Amino acid sequence: MTGWTILIHGGAKTIAPEEESDNREGLDEAVRAGADVLAAGGSAVAAVEAAIRVMEDHPVFNAGTGAVPNRAGGIEMCAGMMDGASLAVGAVAALPLVRHPVSVAREVLREREILLAGNGALAFARERGAELKDDEQRQPVRAVVSADAACDTVGAVALDSNGDFAAGTSTGGLEGTRVGRVGDSPMPGCGFYADNTLGAVALSGDGEEIARTVLASRIIDKLGRMDVMPAIQCSLARLARLGAEGGAVALDRKGQPGFGHNSSHFAVALMRAGDEDPSIWLSRDEEEGP
Ligand code: GLY
């Protein structure tokens, strides 16, 4: 048995002062939901799903309820999960109507396929009894003022007391994009990755550039060779050279947590075995990190 850890993020973005308390409250509730699963002996996969489900229900985050419309006015969401013990991957892309895309991704994780998209993903979600939610019931708290501001995604990484890692993401997309546009979030090696021999990572930010730089793969590879903070920082530098913004949360193979971002804010929360309360940061500068 080892100690457990969960590290979550609510997006690399700009957080206006009036949005700070909603972000803190959403992170607090989400990380506690994941921690409760781990404290009860649950798996890292279950903890990641539990934390992301809370963020999908909180309208301050661009995922689930807080998803933003594409140029046709529709909602298309993406989510991904990975189990570091088996390297099983489950993901959904351009999925409409579902309340919890991450839970559909977890259902895919149990299958031979790794990624289902569009109508196929919706048919699978219905087959598995996923709860549906009309677009009219989604009310993002934050008015989207620019494409930049809408790049956030939620994500989580966890290590359970069995020594297994998991990573997950969920995003409500980018406002005004083409119908069918898919970013990094449902693609393993781009928006997320977990491998028990290396650790786990989850990303947020400019999806096209994160995919072009296979950023999760870069970070996870470096986790095998360097400490978690420099592994994240030098990978984000590659993203910055493309003029893009992002943020990453990661656990190295010993469970050491780290995060980094080049966006103005990055909403992050951490809980470890023995913690009564989470540590929460809205930017790297705010306080000393883990
Ligand atoms: N990072 C989320 C997206 O670009 O869709």
Side-chain angles (χ1 to χ4, degrees):
M1 293 278 279
T2 59
W4 54 261
T5 302
I6 181 161
L7 179 64
I8 69 168
H9 75 76
K13 55 191 178 182
T14 299
I15 301 175
E18 64 273 18
E19 297 164 341
E20 286 184 8
S21 61
D22 277 344
N23 274 274
R24 283 185 198 283
E25 175 200 291
L27 288 171
D28 184 281
E29 192 186 337
V31 78
R32 286 182 195 275
D36 284 349
V37 171
L38 294 169
S43 70
V45 166
V48 163
E49 181 192 12
I52 291 179
R53 280 174 66 95
V54 171
M55 291 189 279
E56 287 177 336
D57 271 345
H58 200 304
V60 78
F61 303 117
N62 179 11
T65 291
V68 295
N70 59 28
R71 67 172 63 165
I75 299 287
E76 293 182 320
M77 299 165 289
C78 300
M81 291 202 72
M82 186 157 183
D83 176 355
S86 61
L87 303 187
V89 172
V92 289
L95 172 65
L97 286 176
V98 163
R99 178 176 173 188
H100 289 299
V102 72
S103 294
V104 185
R106 189 173 177 198
E107 288 291 330
V108 178
L109 190 99
R110 300 184 169 104
E111 303 298 326
R112 163 85 189 132
E113 296 90 347
I114 62 162
L115 172 59
L116 298 176
N119 287 339
L122 181 58
F124 177 81
R126 287 185 197 275
E127 178 192 307
R128 296 301 163 98
E131 189 178 342
L132 304 184
K133 189 166 189 173
D134 289 340
D135 291 357
E136 292 70 35
Q137 295 173 273
R138 299 175 200 275
Q139 293 171 340
V141 153
R142 183 161 51 82
V144 176
V145 292
S146 70
D148 235 21
C151 280
D152 49 322
T153 298
V154 305
V157 289
L159 168 65
D160 63 32
S161 27
N162 201 37
D164 292 330
F165 288 86
T169 59
S170 181
T171 185
L174 292 186
E175 193 185 36
T177 54
R178 285 191 169 82
V179 175
R181 177 265 179 192
V182 173
D184 60 301
S185 302
M187 295 198 279
C190 298
F192 65 99
Y193 204 81
D195 179 335
N196 275 7
T197 67
L198 295 167
V201 60
L203 276 294
S204 171
D206 294 321
E208 281 71 12
E209 287 76 15
I210 292 173
R212 284 183 185 117
T213 53
V214 282
L215 209 59
S217 169
R218 275 175 197 268
I219 294 172
I220 204 88
D221 180 54
K222 287 184 175 62
L223 286 178
R225 294 182 275 117
M226 59 175 79
D227 287 344
V228 61
M229 293 304 290
I232 292 171
Q233 291 303 347
C234 64
S235 302
L236 286 175
R238 182 72 187 94
L239 189 69
R241 285 203 291 281
L242 295 182
E245 285 192 349
V249 291
L251 300 175
D252 72 13
R253 69 183 139 187
K254 292 184 186 142
Q256 179 63 35
F259 70 92
H261 61 104
N262 68 341
S263 49
S264 68
H265 297 87
F266 190 40
V268 175
L270 170 70
M271 280 191 88
R272 289 184 265 213
D275 288 348
E276 275 187 22
D277 296 305
S279 301
I280 294 178
W281 301 266
L282 297 188
S283 77
R284 180 79 212 160
D285 304 333
E286 192 175 69
E287 295 166 51
E288 204 174 311

